[in-house]
Structure formats: structure tokens, C-alpha cells
Amino acid sequence: RSMYVPANIVVSAAGNLEHDKLVELVQRSIDRRAELPNAKPRVRPPLVRTPKPGLRFQRKDTEQYHVCLGAPGVSRSDRRRFAASILDAILGGSASSRLFQEIREKRGMAYSVYSFASQYTDTGLVGVYIGTRGENLAPCLEITAEQLAEIAAGKLKADEIVRAKENLKGRIMLSMESTGNRMSRLGKSLVTDTELLSFERIIA
């Protein structure tokens, strides 16, 4: 009742549609629900301080350990977000990434290993996930720490950067074949008040 009110909702659409017709349908839906409170949007307070380091462990009767390492990243409007995406692709964002090759392909220590980056209005998140058996946990974390240190020190090969860029470009273009992805892209730019860049600019 407090969050799902007209002032807090964005309607996004993509595909074979007529803009005016869509607006009419949305307006009709709002009119029919006149009882909904049209309160001011409720906004989460911005992140002003980096959270303190912490550890959380949850016991569960499974064969594997599921480990997630996370740290603050960059926001959706930060100019470094493109560089962050390239670093993510190099570290663990694809099957040719360092973590995937070192931990899964070369040593067969984990079935699932990858890195990820999420961006929000005022902050972001970077992380690494590893799913592995208990005996492989320490070596997997050592390899991850080594790769993070190498990337932080700028030890990147030119062909590695080119490959990551081409991989990202291909994934962006393929994702845009889905009208659902196009719709989400439009909605996210409005929700986060971020400039909607053309594909040409993103690729450039």
C-alpha cells in the first residue's frame, strides 16, 4: 500500500505498439483505481558511507559451499561503469574469463564460478560467486584473490581487453533482439533517472 502507488510506478513498453493507445490504457487503469493513494514517491536515502566489511555464514545440509564475495561498485551514472563492465568480463563474466579458466577449466575445482556487477542510482555492487566442495574452497579463494590482485595492479593483456569488449558488444546486440529486454532497459533508465544512451554510443 505504501510503495505500489501511482507516484512510485513506471510503465514501460516495447514492441509493435501505438504510444497514444498505450497511454490511454494506462490512464484508464489508473482512473478505475481511484482509491489508490497518489502519494509522493518514497525514495530510499542515498548511500553516504561505504558499509563496514562483514562475514555471514549460513549452515545448510548440502554437498557444496556457496561463497559470495562482494564489495561496493560504481553507480549507473558513473563514467567508469563501462570500464567496470570490461573488468567484470575479464575477471569472471564469461566462459573465457580468468576465474572460469583457472578454477573450472584448468583445475576442475568448481562447477560454477563467475563475477558480477550491479549498478544502482547512487552506488553499485561488484562480486564473485563460487560453488565448490569443501576441500576445494581454500584453493579457489586463493586463486580468486590472486586474480583480483593482478587486475587491481593493472596486469591486463591487450588481447584480453579486446576480447572482453567484443564479447560485451555481442551480448548487448543479442540482448536487444528481445522486446522484454528493450522494455526493461527503458524502464530502468526512468526508475534510476539515468540517460538512455543509443546502442552506437554504448558500443563506442
Side-chain angles (χ1 to χ4, degrees):
R1 284 179 181 172
S2 64
M3 299 304 290
Y4 289 89
V5 295
N8 249 7
I9 294 170
V10 162
V11 176
S12 175
N16 184 17
L17 52 88
E18 294 175 34
H19 179 79
D20 293 341
K21 180 71 177 168
L22 178 70
V23 172
E24 184 190 320
L25 288 168
V26 172
Q27 191 59 56
R28 207 185 303 163
S29 181
I30 292 169
D31 293 343
R32 252 189 262 131
R33 289 168 177 80
E35 76 281 0
L36 284 173
N38 198 13
K40 288 182 180 175
R42 282 184 60 184
V43 181
R44 176 182 58 77
L47 185 76
V48 289
R49 252 197 306 302
T50 302
K52 290 178 183 174
L55 173 68
R56 183 175 169 183
F57 185 78
Q58 184 176 335
R59 289 193 180 279
K60 204 172 181 183
D61 188 20
T62 60
E63 285 185 5
Q64 287 198 106
Y65 278 85
H66 299 275
V67 181
C68 195
L69 307 171
V74 297
S75 71
R76 282 180 68 87
S77 56
D78 194 305
R79 290 179 64 86
R80 298 170 296 170
R81 67 190 184 277
F82 298 105
S85 295
I86 293 165
L87 289 177
D88 175 52
I90 290 169
L91 179 64
S94 71
S96 61
S97 66
R98 290 183 176 201
L99 291 179
F100 193 93
Q101 287 298 314
E102 291 296 325
I103 292 174
R104 181 174 159 164
E105 292 298 295
K106 287 184 185 175
R107 297 174 177 87
M109 285 183 170
Y111 177 72
S112 182
V113 57
Y114 58 84
S115 64
F116 55 90
S118 302
Q119 291 150 3
Y120 309 109
T121 307
D122 56 337
T123 185
L125 168 72
V126 290
V128 171
Y129 167 81
I130 306 164
T132 187
R133 290 179 178 275
E135 64 268 21
N136 294 330
L137 191 58
C140 283
L141 289 171
E142 281 173 26
I143 294 163
T144 301
E146 284 167 12
Q147 292 303 325
L148 285 167
E150 280 205 5
I151 286 177
K155 293 178 182 175
L156 300 163
K157 297 172 185 166
D159 65 328
E160 201 173 26
I161 297 169
V162 170
R163 193 166 62 241
K165 285 181 179 181
E166 292 307 312
N167 181 282
L168 282 168
K169 288 180 198 174
R171 275 160 46 193
I172 289 166
M173 296 313 291
L174 283 172
S175 75
M176 287 306 109
E177 289 184 8
S178 156
T179 48
N181 284 345
R182 286 177 177 264
M183 178 196 69
S184 295
R185 182 172 178 263
L186 293 170
K188 279 179 186 174
S189 75
L190 282 168
V191 167
T192 57
D193 194 26
T194 310
E195 182 187 6
L196 188 67
L197 298 177
S198 68
F199 298 125
E200 290 75 21
R201 276 190 69 192
I202 291 169
I203 286 168

